[in-house]
Amino acid sequence: MKASEDLRNEHELIKVTLHVLDQVVRRIKQNEQVEVSDLQDIVGFLSEFADKCHHGKEEGFYFPALEQAGIPKEGGPIGVMLNEHDLGRSNIKQMRESVFGTNVDLQSFAQAAVSYIILMSNHIEKENNVLFMMGDMRLPEETQNELLEKFEEHEKAVIGEGRHQELHALLEKLEQKYLS
């Protein structure tokens, strides 16, 4: 298994979350009922799984390995991906601020969610179809195996033992509620 396969598998879960988020936005725009706790769960999932876990693997291990293999950061694809991670964090922050606290603002949530959906959908396509392919060609098997070990350690350190399964269960609950 290559490191990119692990990251691609995580992209599939993030894409499901983007589909859920899209349906939530549709409901908000049509003035249908949405539970604020679901919005908070989505924001929590994106913060913990997509950003801390997934982007943490990319930023902490995968991208530096690509740089060492000669793929440029500044003015290159890695720099673009890092910039998009920051933009995504800004969208997540706006979503969080709109549903946590005393004044819930569903329109602000929907606006940030749409920006995030567009950004991350395009981002995932670029990583899957450009950057990961470059990495697969340039990273030797030994480096791939080291990355997979580091990914596993990162997951345990950042989200903890067993949390991955809890996050999967949360996503399944949201998927059944909004995509069925």
Side-chain angles (χ1 to χ4, degrees):
M1 182 167 165
K2 294 183 175 171
S4 64
E5 289 176 66
D6 183 65
L7 297 172
R8 277 188 179 99
N9 290 338
E10 291 179 350
H11 279 169
E12 291 307 308
L13 295 173
I14 295 166
K15 285 163 65 173
V16 169
T17 313
L18 296 178
H19 291 303
V20 168
L21 197 53
D22 186 56
Q23 288 304 304
V24 165
V25 168
R26 183 191 60 76
R27 288 185 185 190
I28 290 170
K29 288 182 176 182
Q30 294 178 349
N31 292 317
E32 294 178 24
Q33 185 66 32
V34 292
E35 293 181 39
V36 173
S37 63
D38 289 342
L39 306 182
Q40 293 170 338
D41 285 344
I42 292 168
V43 169
F45 181 90
L46 292 172
S47 295
E48 192 172 2
F49 182 80
D51 192 35
K52 289 180 186 169
C53 184
H54 178 77
H55 290 159
K57 290 177 184 178
E58 290 176 339
E59 294 172 3
F61 309 105
Y62 192 72
F63 294 169
L66 295 180
E67 277 187 86
Q68 286 183 335
I71 298 173
K73 177 180 175 181
E74 299 303 319
I78 298 169
V80 172
M81 296 301 104
L82 290 169
N83 182 55
E84 290 178 359
H85 286 182
D86 287 340
L87 292 171
R89 287 181 184 112
S90 177
N91 293 138
I92 290 171
K93 181 177 186 254
Q94 186 179 350
M95 284 187 276
R96 172 179 280 111
E97 289 172 353
S98 66
V99 295
F100 285 92
T102 54
N103 295 326
V104 172
D105 184 345
L106 295 179
Q107 297 310 313
S108 177
F109 179 89
Q111 182 181 5
V114 168
S115 294
Y116 186 81
I117 292 165
I118 294 167
L119 174 73
M120 283 298 125
S121 295
N122 292 326
H123 177 83
I124 287 169
E125 291 306 310
K126 287 185 266 186
E127 283 186 341
N128 284 351
N129 299 314
V130 179
L131 191 61
F132 293 169
M133 294 174 109
M134 294 169 76
D136 289 349
M137 289 189 292
R138 294 190 185 194
L139 297 175
E141 186 177 345
E142 182 180 324
T143 302
Q144 298 277 2
N145 292 332
E146 289 172 9
L147 284 169
L148 287 168
E149 287 177 24
K150 289 177 181 177
F151 287 178
E152 191 71 31
E153 292 168 12
H154 174 78
E155 235 176 74
K156 288 178 184 171
V158 171
I159 63 172
E161 194 78 46
R163 182 68 178 141
H164 213 263
Q165 291 75 14
E166 292 171 9
L167 289 169
H168 280 263
L170 171 63
L171 183 56
E172 283 179 28
K173 178 192 93 169
L174 291 166
E175 189 178 4
Q176 288 174 0
K177 186 169 185 177
Y178 291 97
L179 299 181
S180 296

